[in-house]
């Protein structure tokens, strides 16, 4: 079965977004990442800050922004909590993107939302702590928090967000067709491997 | 860092052993699988049937062969249970094979035993139930048990064996450098990807 959609789940700092962008360029696919939040925000009639806050603070039960995200009212699905509205809207945006095909979607639980599509290649990118720590400092600069601590926080948040959104465990091999350690295989070779699998799927009868 | 050892953990019926054999042929590496049990048996002074029984029946607490495997005495490490002797001997055999390098090792918790070696590429091969069910019937024939049931039993055994041997969960992306769904990517392409990563590691400064 030809793979027309690539979803990329990734550990923070692993280079998953960069890999997704390179794959999209190589295949001439549309690339969905931050702009997806905007589309979701429009779709759900919510401000993009609330959507971002919902995702960022999903594990901070004591956070003010989380309180907003979980609170009721507003939006085109009035009556549901913002969180539910965002999840519904997000699923709609991702499903519509997938329906058009030829796209790479990073994060947002797209692998789960599109789990029944056989034209979808689900990828997980991870890397060791040293590689990710160096990378986030280089890309996002230093903070008063040690990079390892920032990474552990992000990992915990993504784990809980994914579980709450999908009821599945994050980073389990069987949930992905392909999982790559970018600190060993390298950003470019990871992109090459994904691209080749999509190209190969066009000739192959395999599902 | 050049990868001189490939370890392959795999779901029963996923084709992991076949992939390992193809990779070994392509790279001119030595291939360790069943013969490893023989070496372990020699090393530990135990009959290969007992070693095989230990692995096969590790989760059948009520099994006679398991009782034998867990019982005391005999072997070159007399005083320890057979199970402990086998684990010690297995780790020694795998470490010696790795020390010589240029080898593919399938199963046996080699990824864990060699976890501190940077010249080791750890791979996990999995596949969907339909692919594996068709494969084991084709390779091992029908039994009075449905293939899906045989697969679920084997999966459960490997999971428990790996956990008891390594204290880690089986099939977690972060424990492998590469995880592939052979039912989507295909046996040959899986072998090509692994071979290319090893070849690439020879030119690349990456760890």
């Amino acid at each position: 079965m030809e793979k027309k959609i690539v979803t990329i789940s990734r550990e923070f700092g692993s280079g998953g977004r960069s890999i997704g962008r390179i794959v999209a360029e190589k295949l001439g696919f549309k690339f969905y990442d931050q702009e997806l939040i905007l589309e979701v925000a429009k779709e759900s009639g919510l401000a993009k800050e609330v959507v971002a806050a919902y995702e960022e603070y999903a594990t901070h039960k004591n956070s003010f922004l989380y309180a907003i995200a979980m609170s009721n009212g507003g939006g085109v699905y009035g009556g549901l909590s913002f969180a539910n509205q965002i999840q519904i809207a997000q699923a709609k945006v991702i499903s519509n993107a997938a329906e058009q095909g030829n796209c790479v979607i990073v994060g947002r639980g797209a692998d789960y939302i599109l789990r029944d599509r056989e034209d979808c290649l689900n990828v997980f990118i991870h890397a060791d702590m040293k590689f990710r720590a160096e990378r986030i400092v280089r890309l996002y600069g230093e903070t008063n928090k040690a990079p390892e601590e920032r990474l552990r926080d992000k990992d915990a948040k993504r784990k809980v967000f994914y579980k709450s959104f999908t009821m599945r465990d994050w980073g389990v091999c069987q949930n992905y067709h392909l999982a790559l350690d970018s600190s060993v295989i390298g950003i470019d070779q990871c992109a090459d491997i994904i691209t080749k699998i999509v190209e190969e799927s066009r000739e192959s009868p395999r599902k």
Side-chain angles (χ1 to χ4, degrees), chain A:
Chain A
M1 158 73 81
E2 179 178 353
K3 301 298 181 188
K4 293 176 175 169
I5 305 131
V6 177
T7 73
I8 296 184
S9 311
R10 80 290 184 212
E11 287 184 332
F12 182 56
S14 67
R17 182 190 284 108
S18 308
I19 290 167
R21 191 172 282 111
I22 298 169
V23 168
E25 280 164 16
K26 282 173 176 276
L27 292 170
F29 279 12
K30 192 163 176 195
F31 180 70
Y32 291 93
D33 186 15
Q34 295 311 327
E35 60 265 35
L36 205 58
I37 289 187
L38 290 164
E39 290 191 45
V40 170
K42 274 188 253 119
E43 172 73 26
S44 61
L46 303 170
K48 85 168 204 272
E49 289 72 14
V50 178
V51 180
Y54 160 70
E55 300 200 332
E56 178 61 18
Y57 292 88
T59 63
H60 283 193
K61 302 296 181 199
N62 58 354
S63 135
F64 172 65
L65 284 166
Y66 181 77
I68 293 175
M70 295 306 288
S71 67
N72 246 335
V76 293
Y77 313 106
L80 289 176
S81 74
F82 279 130
N84 288 338
Q85 294 181 43
I86 291 160
Q87 289 187 348
I88 292 164
Q90 188 159 252
K92 278 183 66 176
V93 171
I94 288 172
S95 301
N96 294 342
E99 209 37 62
Q100 294 161 44
N102 297 342
C103 60
V104 175
I105 306 172
V106 176
R108 321 287 170 230
D111 57 304
Y112 179 77
I113 292 163
L114 305 176
R115 64 193 177 283
D116 294 331
R117 291 192 69 107
E118 291 211 331
D119 58 354
C120 193
L121 181 74
N122 296 319
V123 181
F124 185 79
I125 306 292
H126 58 98
D128 66 26
M129 192 54 94
K130 186 167 165 292
F131 176 91
R132 296 196 291 147
E134 286 168 2
R135 207 158 177 286
I136 64 168
V137 168
R138 193 170 72 250
L139 292 178
Y140 310 113
E142 298 272 8
T143 71
N144 51 7
K145 229 189 199 179
E148 291 77 8
E149 202 185 333
R150 288 157 66 190
L151 287 166
R152 273 187 288 271
D153 286 356
K154 276 277 197 180
D155 290 347
K157 281 181 192 167
R158 288 193 179 173
K159 204 169 180 156
V160 173
F161 176 76
Y162 188 79
K163 182 84 176 189
S164 70
F165 186 61
T166 68
M167 293 301 124
R168 301 198 303 195
D169 290 323
W170 194 58
V172 171
C173 293
Q174 285 88 342
N175 292 341
Y176 307 96
H177 302 122
L178 178 66
L180 301 164
D181 181 334
S182 55
S183 56
V184 165
I185 297 169
I187 302 284
D188 291 334
Q189 196 177 8
C190 286
D192 289 345
I193 290 168
I194 298 164
T195 304
K196 196 150 185 312
I197 289 171
V198 172
E199 288 170 343
E200 170 74 17
S201 74
R202 293 169 182 162
E203 287 95 54
S204 131
R206 241 178 277 111
K207 85 144 178 21

